[in-house]
Amino acid sequence: MRVLVTGGAGFIGSHVVDALVAAGDEVRILDALLPAVHRTKPQVNNAAEMIVGDVTDRDQVAEALSGIDVVCHQAAMVGLGVDLDDLPAYATNNDLGTAVLLAAMARAGVGRLVLASSMVVYGEGGYRCPTDGPVRPGPRQAAELDAGRFEPPCPRCHRPLAPIVVHEDAPLDPRNAYAATKVAQEHLAAAWAAETGGTAVALRYHNVYGPRMPRDTPYAGVASIFRSALEHGRAPRVFEDGRQLRDFVHVHDVARANLLASGQPQAPGRLVPLNIGSGDPHTVGDMADALARAFGGPRPVVTGTSRVGDVRHIAASSARAGDLLGYRPRVDFAEGMRAFAHDPLRD
């Protein structure tokens, strides 16, 4: 199988490349090597063909698609962002880039897509009210957060809610610029599949961590930010009260999910979304504490502060990925955090 991995020099993409190469696939990488992401020249798998090019460039994308059977589309601008000035960059890299890629795939007759999506498309995760059953809370209010009331109440009776795992049929409710572009990517891929009869799988990654994460940047994941703080002798600073629930999934499991999805086309003509998580949610505070203990650094500091665009709880049910792909996470939380405390990060 001949696979194009866009963003294949990046954190997740490089592990996807490794998994595909190890499985015997022919792999080509298309990566722009943007300085904001790659401060130094990244090392990529020697068995993969490397094309330095931008996914928004029609000619470069057409060249990269020559002879390809399936595309793993990892190229994206990630993270919560700094402010609304980031909107054009998110829309360009994520949505225009995806549109250029899909149009080129249609012209080239490449009919299989694995899209790197994200749990951010859901906004808040799943919740259950003891009175009203499953509910979807609205956006959290700044005044409530400033007062230290971090838990969203039931939108009907205002009673406290219990978080539950989120399934793929949950409504999409993006709450920041990055999330909005990931929803748009899914919609573009769904339109492409419907018009071409192609197969598209959107892997909704939950909180991915592991070796080759970028060091501390405004766009890095929380695990990388905490690890970078520890390397500088600083305590990880945890927002809110540290009890936000997340599903931390190791990058090796995410790479294997891509390998499984690339080799198993799903329903022609539509997009199939799949959660990719660990199935073992933990609080952000627990993660910071486990990482600090494994690193041997200062204990985390809970700040009580919050960020606009953050959600309170979100944890995955990956049962559908298990049923359709045979996906089963292999790296448990304790093992993963012990390793990540000393894994090499990317400059």
Side-chain angles (χ1 to χ4, degrees):
M1 184 169 62
R2 293 163 296 182
V3 186
L4 173 66
V5 182
T6 69
F11 164 45
I12 297 175
S14 65
H15 287 280
V16 173
V17 169
D18 288 349
L20 291 164
V21 167
D25 293 317
E26 297 179 35
V27 181
R28 181 179 296 152
I29 297 168
L30 177 66
D31 199 302
L33 302 183
L34 297 176
V37 180
H38 301 280
R39 298 167 184 167
T40 60
K41 185 178 180 180
Q43 293 185 336
V44 298
N45 195 303
N46 290 331
E49 176 189 357
M50 178 72 184
I51 296 177
V52 178
D54 197 314
V55 76
T56 65
D57 186 298
R58 172 177 171 149
D59 293 336
Q60 291 174 338
V61 171
E63 175 191 355
L65 284 170
S66 178
I68 291 297
D69 300 309
V70 57
V71 175
C72 287
H73 183 31
Q74 310 293 319
M77 183 174 175
V78 302
L80 187 62
V82 176
D83 54 38
L84 289 179
D85 282 341
D86 283 331
L87 273 172
Y90 275 112
T92 298
N93 287 286
N94 298 357
D95 298 338
L96 176 60
T98 299
V100 170
L101 174 66
L102 293 171
M105 289 175 65
R107 290 193 302 272
V110 180
R112 292 164 58 188
L113 173 71
V114 179
L115 172 67
S117 188
S118 171
M119 53 85 174
V120 297
V121 299
Y122 299 115
E124 288 286 347
Y127 289 87
R128 179 177 294 276
C129 172
T131 301
D132 296 303
V135 294
R136 296 283 297 172
R140 296 192 292 170
Q141 302 302 310
E144 294 293 304
L145 297 174
D146 291 344
R149 293 187 287 270
F150 302 120
E151 295 289 347
C154 176
R156 299 171 189 165
C157 69
H158 306 291
R159 295 183 66 182
L161 299 174
I164 58 177
V165 294
V166 66
H167 296 267
E168 290 86 352
D169 56 358
L172 304 187
D173 185 16
R175 301 199 176 180
N176 56 58
Y178 172 58
T181 62
K182 298 310 284 187
V183 171
Q185 281 187 310
E186 289 198 12
H187 287 168
L188 289 167
W192 167 85
E195 293 191 33
T196 65
T199 65
V201 177
L203 302 180
R204 292 174 177 168
Y205 305 155
H206 284 248
N207 286 71
V208 188
Y209 72 97
R212 303 179 204 156
M213 281 195 90
R215 294 186 187 276
D216 190 5
T217 78
Y219 308 97
V222 65
S224 176
I225 291 171
F226 290 169
R227 165 67 190 279
S228 296
L230 289 164
E231 285 191 332
H232 288 93
R234 301 191 304 265
R237 294 180 62 82
V238 182
F239 286 117
E240 302 183 18
D241 58 3
R243 297 176 184 170
Q244 311 94 301
L245 199 63
R246 297 292 189 269
D247 190 324
F248 298 99
V249 57
H250 197 275
V251 69
H252 290 167
D253 287 327
V254 170
R256 191 169 61 259
N258 277 271
L259 175 65
L260 292 168
S262 65
Q264 300 179 52
Q266 299 300 312
R270 68 185 184 90
L271 177 80
V272 177
L274 298 174
N275 285 331
I276 302 299
S278 71
D280 182 25
H282 290 265
T283 68
V284 175
D286 285 343
M287 187 274 285
D289 188 63
L291 189 58
R293 283 187 284 106
F295 188 87
R299 296 291 300 275
V301 173
V302 177
T303 67
T305 57
S306 59
R307 297 189 300 178
V308 174
D310 272 344
V311 299
R312 180 60 176 172
H313 301 299
I314 181 162
S317 168
S318 300
R320 182 182 292 180
D323 292 341
L324 294 182
L325 302 181
Y327 168 75
R328 300 286 186 277
R330 296 175 180 172
V331 182
D332 69 26
F333 178 79
E335 172 193 352
M337 286 297 148
R338 283 194 299 269
F340 182 61
H342 304 285
D343 279 334
L345 300 183
R346 189 181 68 209
D347 291 317

